[in-house]
Amino acid sequence: MSLNNTRKKILVTNDDGIDGEGLNVLVESLSAVADVYVLAPDSNCSAVSSKITMGRRMQFKRFSERSFSCSGMPADCVICALTSPLFGVHFDAVFSGINSGPNMGTDVIYSGTCAAARQAVLMGVPGIAVSLESCYLDYAREGFNFKPLADFCAKNLDRFISLCTGEVFVSLNATSADEYKEAVFASACVRDYGDRVLIDAESDSVFSGLCTSDGISVSGRSDSDYNIARSGKIAVSLIYAEPVLKQVSENIPFAF
């Protein structure tokens, strides 16, 4: 069966892995309005940020003509889909998600979901990261209704593509709900994860460490992604793909 060439070509990836429920629901919704291709990690790659695979081969597994898993990271999936003959098409956009958990504020630094959208923009393709917080809040492992957010993505496909100006990727965050009635442009919250590392001695010279959390605390403006999502709306954030450097106006006398 030939593809409809008037439909946009969309790559979908994630960091939860090829079996992620959010990915499958997003694919289903986007398939109603676009030709969808999937290249996602073969296992969970949460919090890998923009890590890429260097110096070793990656493995791919075909599930269908337009669906593969990859042994690499989320950013690897984007690079491979856009530069290899795996699919052989020009993509109009890359969607990453739907992630099982939020990617708000400082989460973006660590998020593999956001890294895939960022990588797309760095390569000249619009990138949209989509994340859903459980109805039980924080980082609960259940309580996700992905369908309303997935349908929102499909209905606004062209709008999200137009927002990616070549400088930014789009990040969507929402708290799981049966429906959404409003989407709002958001500022970024600051999330303090309360990290601490417990150290145990395995021997006189070998130690092991376990990173734990005392609980997440959140700060930010009233229009932050956190506050908007918690109010039942969809938070839309535009995030620069390239690092933004602070300009220094004064002449600093360095010693040599």
Side-chain angles (χ1 to χ4, degrees), residues 59-75:
Q59 304 298 315
F60 302 90
K61 181 179 180 181
R62 188 205 310 266
F63 293 89
S64 70
E65 180 184 357
R66 289 190 273 173
S67 180
F68 289 79
S69 67
C70 172
S71 63
M73 302 293 111

PDB file of all heavy atoms in Angstrom, residues 59-75:
ATOM      1  N   GLN A  59      22.501  -2.091  17.781  1.00  0.00           N
ATOM      2  CA  GLN A  59      21.666  -3.152  17.217  1.00  0.00           C
ATOM      3  C   GLN A  59      20.242  -2.634  17.031  1.00  0.00           C
ATOM      4  O   GLN A  59      19.715  -1.888  17.867  1.00  0.00           O
ATOM      5  CB  GLN A  59      21.653  -4.370  18.136  1.00  0.00           C
ATOM      6  CG  GLN A  59      23.032  -4.936  18.457  1.00  0.00           C
ATOM      7  CD  GLN A  59      23.756  -5.416  17.217  1.00  0.00           C
ATOM      8  OE1 GLN A  59      23.167  -6.086  16.363  1.00  0.00           O
ATOM      9  NE2 GLN A  59      25.047  -5.088  17.126  1.00  0.00           N
ATOM     10  N   PHE A  60      19.629  -3.057  15.924  1.00  0.00           N
ATOM     11  CA  PHE A  60      18.258  -2.654  15.617  1.00  0.00           C
ATOM     12  C   PHE A  60      17.390  -3.898  15.436  1.00  0.00           C
ATOM     13  O   PHE A  60      17.846  -4.894  14.881  1.00  0.00           O
ATOM     14  CB  PHE A  60      18.207  -1.815  14.337  1.00  0.00           C
ATOM     15  CG  PHE A  60      19.063  -0.582  14.393  1.00  0.00           C
ATOM     16  CD1 PHE A  60      20.389  -0.624  13.976  1.00  0.00           C
ATOM     17  CD2 PHE A  60      18.556   0.608  14.876  1.00  0.00           C
ATOM     18  CE1 PHE A  60      21.191   0.507  14.033  1.00  0.00           C
ATOM     19  CE2 PHE A  60      19.348   1.747  14.934  1.00  0.00           C
ATOM     20  CZ  PHE A  60      20.666   1.695  14.514  1.00  0.00           C
ATOM     21  N   LYS A  61      16.166  -3.811  15.913  1.00  0.00           N
ATOM     22  CA  LYS A  61      15.215  -4.902  15.733  1.00  0.00           C
ATOM     23  C   LYS A  61      13.977  -4.365  15.039  1.00  0.00           C
ATOM     24  O   LYS A  61      13.394  -3.376  15.470  1.00  0.00           O
ATOM     25  CB  LYS A  61      14.834  -5.529  17.075  1.00  0.00           C
ATOM     26  CG  LYS A  61      13.850  -6.691  16.952  1.00  0.00           C
ATOM     27  CD  LYS A  61      13.528  -7.303  18.308  1.00  0.00           C
ATOM     28  CE  LYS A  61      12.541  -8.448  18.161  1.00  0.00           C
ATOM     29  NZ  LYS A  61      12.200  -9.057  19.486  1.00  0.00           N
ATOM     30  N   ARG A  62      13.583  -5.034  13.937  1.00  0.00           N
ATOM     31  CA  ARG A  62      12.421  -4.601  13.173  1.00  0.00           C
ATOM     32  C   ARG A  62      11.146  -5.246  13.726  1.00  0.00           C
ATOM     33  O   ARG A  62      11.081  -6.462  13.928  1.00  0.00           O
ATOM     34  CB  ARG A  62      12.572  -4.996  11.702  1.00  0.00           C
ATOM     35  CG  ARG A  62      11.486  -4.400  10.793  1.00  0.00           C
ATOM     36  CD  ARG A  62      11.275  -5.235   9.539  1.00  0.00           C
ATOM     37  NE  ARG A  62      12.505  -5.545   8.858  1.00  0.00           N
ATOM     38  CZ  ARG A  62      13.029  -4.839   7.851  1.00  0.00           C
ATOM     39  NH1 ARG A  62      12.402  -3.764   7.419  1.00  0.00           N
ATOM     40  NH2 ARG A  62      14.146  -5.218   7.274  1.00  0.00           N
ATOM     41  N   PHE A  63      10.140  -4.422  13.992  1.00  0.00           N
ATOM     42  CA  PHE A  63       8.830  -4.905  14.410  1.00  0.00           C
ATOM     43  C   PHE A  63       7.824  -4.810  13.269  1.00  0.00           C
ATOM     44  O   PHE A  63       6.876  -5.583  13.205  1.00  0.00           O
ATOM     45  CB  PHE A  63       8.331  -4.118  15.619  1.00  0.00           C
ATOM     46  CG  PHE A  63       9.147  -4.352  16.858  1.00  0.00           C
ATOM     47  CD1 PHE A  63      10.257  -3.569  17.140  1.00  0.00           C
ATOM     48  CD2 PHE A  63       8.827  -5.377  17.738  1.00  0.00           C
ATOM     49  CE1 PHE A  63      11.019  -3.790  18.278  1.00  0.00           C
ATOM     50  CE2 PHE A  63       9.585  -5.607  18.876  1.00  0.00           C
ATOM     51  CZ  PHE A  63      10.689  -4.813  19.146  1.00  0.00           C
ATOM     52  N   SER A  64       8.023  -3.847  12.388  1.00  0.00           N
ATOM     53  CA  SER A  64       7.209  -3.693  11.187  1.00  0.00           C
ATOM     54  C   SER A  64       8.005  -2.835  10.219  1.00  0.00           C
ATOM     55  O   SER A  64       9.139  -2.427  10.506  1.00  0.00           O
ATOM     56  CB  SER A  64       5.860  -3.034  11.502  1.00  0.00           C
ATOM     57  OG  SER A  64       6.036  -1.672  11.846  1.00  0.00           O
ATOM     58  N   GLU A  65       7.436  -2.534   9.068  1.00  0.00           N
ATOM     59  CA  GLU A  65       8.136  -1.738   8.062  1.00  0.00           C
ATOM     60  C   GLU A  65       8.546  -0.373   8.603  1.00  0.00           C
ATOM     61  O   GLU A  65       9.579   0.181   8.213  1.00  0.00           O
ATOM     62  CB  GLU A  65       7.235  -1.550   6.837  1.00  0.00           C
ATOM     63  CG  GLU A  65       7.873  -0.740   5.715  1.00  0.00           C
ATOM     64  CD  GLU A  65       6.917  -0.500   4.565  1.00  0.00           C
ATOM     65  OE1 GLU A  65       5.779  -1.007   4.619  1.00  0.00           O
ATOM     66  OE2 GLU A  65       7.305   0.216   3.619  1.00  0.00           O
ATOM     67  N   ARG A  66       7.776   0.142   9.536  1.00  0.00           N
ATOM     68  CA  ARG A  66       8.035   1.492  10.033  1.00  0.00           C
ATOM     69  C   ARG A  66       8.254   1.525  11.542  1.00  0.00           C
ATOM     70  O   ARG A  66       8.094   2.576  12.163  1.00  0.00           O
ATOM     71  CB  ARG A  66       6.877   2.420   9.649  1.00  0.00           C
ATOM     72  CG  ARG A  66       6.832   2.738   8.176  1.00  0.00           C
ATOM     73  CD  ARG A  66       5.825   3.845   7.889  1.00  0.00           C
ATOM     74  NE  ARG A  66       4.482   3.329   7.694  1.00  0.00           N
ATOM     75  CZ  ARG A  66       3.399   4.095   7.570  1.00  0.00           C
ATOM     76  NH1 ARG A  66       3.509   5.410   7.636  1.00  0.00           N
ATOM     77  NH2 ARG A  66       2.215   3.558   7.387  1.00  0.00           N
ATOM     78  N   SER A  67       8.662   0.417  12.124  1.00  0.00           N
ATOM     79  CA  SER A  67       8.875   0.394  13.574  1.00  0.00           C
ATOM     80  C   SER A  67      10.092  -0.449  13.919  1.00  0.00           C
ATOM     81  O   SER A  67      10.151  -1.645  13.587  1.00  0.00           O
ATOM     82  CB  SER A  67       7.633  -0.157  14.283  1.00  0.00           C
ATOM     83  OG  SER A  67       7.828  -0.190  15.675  1.00  0.00           O
ATOM     84  N   PHE A  68      11.069   0.177  14.602  1.00  0.00           N
ATOM     85  CA  PHE A  68      12.295  -0.488  15.009  1.00  0.00           C
ATOM     86  C   PHE A  68      12.614  -0.107  16.452  1.00  0.00           C
ATOM     87  O   PHE A  68      12.254   0.975  16.923  1.00  0.00           O
ATOM     88  CB  PHE A  68      13.484  -0.041  14.151  1.00  0.00           C
ATOM     89  CG  PHE A  68      13.467  -0.532  12.739  1.00  0.00           C
ATOM     90  CD1 PHE A  68      12.660   0.082  11.785  1.00  0.00           C
ATOM     91  CD2 PHE A  68      14.268  -1.589  12.348  1.00  0.00           C
ATOM     92  CE1 PHE A  68      12.660  -0.348  10.476  1.00  0.00           C
ATOM     93  CE2 PHE A  68      14.274  -2.036  11.032  1.00  0.00           C
ATOM     94  CZ  PHE A  68      13.464  -1.415  10.098  1.00  0.00           C
ATOM     95  N   SER A  69      13.331  -0.993  17.123  1.00  0.00           N
ATOM     96  CA  SER A  69      13.980  -0.633  18.381  1.00  0.00           C
ATOM     97  C   SER A  69      15.465  -0.480  18.123  1.00  0.00           C
ATOM     98  O   SER A  69      15.999  -0.957  17.118  1.00  0.00           O
ATOM     99  CB  SER A  69      13.728  -1.684  19.464  1.00  0.00           C
ATOM    100  OG  SER A  69      14.367  -2.909  19.121  1.00  0.00           O
ATOM    101  N   CYS A  70      16.149   0.194  19.058  1.00  0.00           N
ATOM    102  CA  CYS A  70      17.572   0.476  18.920  1.00  0.00           C
ATOM    103  C   CYS A  70      18.240   0.247  20.268  1.00  0.00           C
ATOM    104  O   CYS A  70      17.677   0.583  21.316  1.00  0.00           O
ATOM    105  CB  CYS A  70      17.767   1.921  18.458  1.00  0.00           C
ATOM    106  SG  CYS A  70      19.477   2.505  18.447  1.00  0.00           S
ATOM    107  N   SER A  71      19.435  -0.299  20.251  1.00  0.00           N
ATOM    108  CA  SER A  71      20.156  -0.544  21.496  1.00  0.00           C
ATOM    109  C   SER A  71      20.775   0.723  22.067  1.00  0.00           C
ATOM    110  O   SER A  71      21.334   0.697  23.161  1.00  0.00           O
ATOM    111  CB  SER A  71      21.262  -1.588  21.269  1.00  0.00           C
ATOM    112  OG  SER A  71      22.223  -1.103  20.338  1.00  0.00           O
ATOM    113  N   GLY A  72      20.677   1.828  21.334  1.00  0.00           N
ATOM    114  CA  GLY A  72      21.261   3.080  21.773  1.00  0.00           C
ATOM    115  C   GLY A  72      20.331   3.916  22.633  1.00  0.00           C
ATOM    116  O   GLY A  72      19.315   3.443  23.152  1.00  0.00           O
ATOM    117  N   MET A  73      20.697   5.171  22.773  1.00  0.00           N
ATOM    118  CA  MET A  73      19.999   6.129  23.614  1.00  0.00           C
ATOM    119  C   MET A  73      18.925   6.871  22.804  1.00  0.00           C
ATOM    120  O   MET A  73      18.876   6.760  21.584  1.00  0.00           O
ATOM    121  CB  MET A  73      20.999   7.136  24.176  1.00  0.00           C
ATOM    122  CG  MET A  73      22.143   6.533  24.980  1.00  0.00           C
ATOM    123  SD  MET A  73      21.591   5.782  26.536  1.00  0.00           S
ATOM    124  CE  MET A  73      21.873   4.046  26.165  1.00  0.00           C
ATOM    125  N   PRO A  74      18.056   7.659  23.460  1.00  0.00           N
ATOM    126  CA  PRO A  74      17.064   8.444  22.709  1.00  0.00           C
ATOM    127  C   PRO A  74      17.685   9.349  21.646  1.00  0.00           C
ATOM    128  O   PRO A  74      17.174   9.425  20.519  1.00  0.00           O
ATOM    129  CB  PRO A  74      16.368   9.248  23.814  1.00  0.00           C
ATOM    130  CG  PRO A  74      16.475   8.387  25.027  1.00  0.00           C
ATOM    131  CD  PRO A  74      17.819   7.731  24.926  1.00  0.00           C
ATOM    132  N   ALA A  75      18.773  10.050  21.993  1.00  0.00           N
ATOM    133  CA  ALA A  75      19.427  10.903  20.998  1.00  0.00           C
ATOM    134  C   ALA A  75      19.973  10.070  19.843  1.00  0.00           C
ATOM    135  O   ALA A  75      19.933  10.499  18.677  1.00  0.00           O
ATOM    136  CB  ALA A  75      20.542  11.719  21.641  1.00  0.00           C
TER     137      ALA A  75
END
